[in-house]
Amino acid sequence: MGFWDFLKPRSKEHVEACWPGGKMLQVHMEYDTEKTIFTYFGRFGLTFNISKSQLTGAIVKEISRTHSVLQVYSGVDCVGTTDILPTEACNIMKDWLGQY
């Protein structure tokens, strides 16, 4: 993703989104139902993509008593790690991924 890509309009026609902490947290995950790709949008431009066919699991790793990260796996390899978020937000995203 280039520096100015955030200015390009993106079609939201076939996209479902999960905002685990609401819009105030500024972190969300999207699922494109046509391309079957999950995309994570984190703080400070952190993003990663994974196709539904490659996704084998998601694990919530605890950082402290109140905060965790969500790690997304393809096979045995971790292909994406979210920002440090409240544990509840990570569990919401994990459950949302499990729907698909």
Side-chain angles (χ1 to χ4, degrees):
M1 184 167 165
F3 182 72
W4 297 106
D5 284 349
F6 68 92
L7 292 175
K8 293 179 183 174
R10 295 181 317 141
S11 171
K12 299 281 186 175
E13 189 173 327
H14 302 283
V15 176
E16 297 179 24
C18 173
W19 292 81
K23 304 252 180 183
M24 193 169 201
L25 194 57
Q26 301 174 356
V27 172
H28 69 285
M29 188 166 275
E30 293 181 351
Y31 177 61
D32 189 329
T33 56
E34 272 191 343
K35 299 176 186 173
T36 65
I37 293 178
F38 290 101
T39 305
Y40 171 77
F41 296 94
R43 296 185 197 108
F44 310 111
L46 174 66
T47 62
F48 64 83
N49 298 323
I50 184 168
S51 70
K52 181 180 174 181
S53 62
Q54 294 176 337
L55 180 67
T56 58
I59 297 173
V60 176
K61 294 271 185 159
E62 190 174 285
I63 302 298
S64 69
R65 286 188 218 162
T66 59
H67 287 76
S68 301
V69 295
L70 180 69
Q71 293 183 328
V72 179
Y73 285 86
S74 176
V76 295
D77 299 324
C78 179
V79 293
T81 302
T82 65
D83 293 303
I84 297 174
L85 302 169
T87 302
E88 183 180 348
C90 290
N91 285 326
I92 290 170
M93 264 198 297
K94 180 181 176 191
D95 293 341
W96 184 79
L97 279 172
Q99 292 177 11
Y100 301 100

